[in-house]
Amino acid sequence: EDITALSPGTISFYTSEYELTNNKKVVTITPLPITSLPSITIKINGVTMPALLDTSSPITVLNYQAAKAAGISTIYPIPGRSQNPFANLKNNVDLAQAAERNEVLALVGDKGQAVYLFKSSSDSDSYTNVSVVAKDGANIEFVKATSDSKDKISNPIIDFLASGKEDENVSTNDPLLYVGDAPGLAELNAMGPDAPPAVVLGNNVLRRVSKMLF
């Protein structure tokens, strides 16, 4: 198969028997129990964590533990958890107002509850590296820190890709990462205060490279 003929925005999956040529990097996919959804290992600012490879998600979401470990700051401060119902009520009102200001993203959870995802700050994005860990331990960069520029898109490793060009449809004005209990994190058992760091790797990061092979 001529991998250079793949159309832009393509992700191709191959069995372990498939051999890539030209020293292209191989990324190991681990099917999750029961659902068999694909998970991979990534690094954010050098911190290793599992990620759900979610091509149906338009955004990339870290749980709170992953954001803390990777040093990701948000536009709107993440409120602390409280046993005081009045404090929680005030937090909910403040979050609704922050959503109106487009500082957080408001979703509806599977039980009808409000779910808030906090947008990473532009300063945080400028110093953020996102990479996929290849089978041989190499780091394959999706996003490279660009503290001296607003352009967050880096040049991908050519050997990993069928094309070395970034997807032209990616907006560099949108936040790079979101933080919160996104529903997809449940597949990684990574929701709640005691969960380990984990990520839902969505299209806003995946599309920063035009073609990928796993």
Side-chain angles (χ1 to χ4, degrees):
E1 180 182 3
D2 179 10
I3 61 174
T4 61
L6 295 173
S7 60
T10 297
I11 299 180
S12 295
F13 299 91
Y14 295 91
T15 64
S16 57
E17 289 77 18
Y18 184 85
E19 293 186 3
L20 293 176
T21 59
N22 298 327
N23 297 318
K24 290 182 170 61
K25 299 295 182 181
V26 176
V27 175
T28 300
I29 288 180
T30 302
L32 296 175
I34 302 176
T35 63
S36 293
L37 292 171
S39 69
I40 60 176
T41 301
I42 69 171
K43 287 184 179 180
I44 298 181
N45 293 343
V47 180
T48 303
M49 55 191 74
L52 177 66
L53 187 63
D54 192 352
T55 57
S56 66
S57 175
I59 60 175
T60 294
V61 185
L62 287 68
N63 66 2
Y64 298 110
Q65 293 77 6
K68 182 178 181 179
I72 302 300
S73 61
T74 56
I75 298 173
Y76 184 87
I78 298 173
R81 303 175 187 273
S82 174
Q83 299 298 322
N84 185 329
F86 296 103
N88 289 331
L89 178 61
K90 182 180 185 305
N91 282 340
N92 289 336
V93 172
D94 291 343
L95 285 169
Q97 294 174 345
E100 292 179 358
R101 297 192 300 269
N102 202 32
E103 295 175 351
V104 302
L105 180 63
L107 305 177
V108 178
D110 56 357
K111 297 181 181 179
Q113 77 279 19
V115 176
Y116 294 101
L117 303 180
F118 299 83
K119 294 183 176 183
S120 57
S121 67
S122 57
D123 288 342
S124 179
D125 288 351
S126 296
Y127 289 93
T128 296
N129 281 85
V130 180
S131 61
V132 175
V133 179
K135 186 176 182 179
D136 63 2
N139 295 325
I140 304 165
E141 288 186 332
F142 273 53
V143 180
K144 191 173 184 178
T146 55
S147 58
D148 58 345
S149 170
K150 292 183 179 180
D151 184 1
K152 311 303 187 302
I153 297 179
S154 67
N155 291 323
I157 295 179
I158 306 302
D159 285 346
F160 173 62
L161 304 168
S163 169
K165 297 180 179 179
E166 302 90 350
D167 191 324
E168 295 179 354
N169 294 320
V170 174
S171 171
T172 59
N173 294 323
D174 294 333
L176 175 61
L177 305 170
Y178 290 76
V179 179
D181 280 334
L185 289 166
E187 301 295 342
L188 295 167
N189 294 318
M191 297 181 70
D194 299 322
V199 180
V200 173
L201 189 61
N203 281 327
N204 71 319
V205 169
L206 291 173
R207 291 186 66 182
R208 287 170 182 259
V209 292
S210 58
K211 302 170 187 176
M212 293 177 289
L213 305 171
F214 285 84

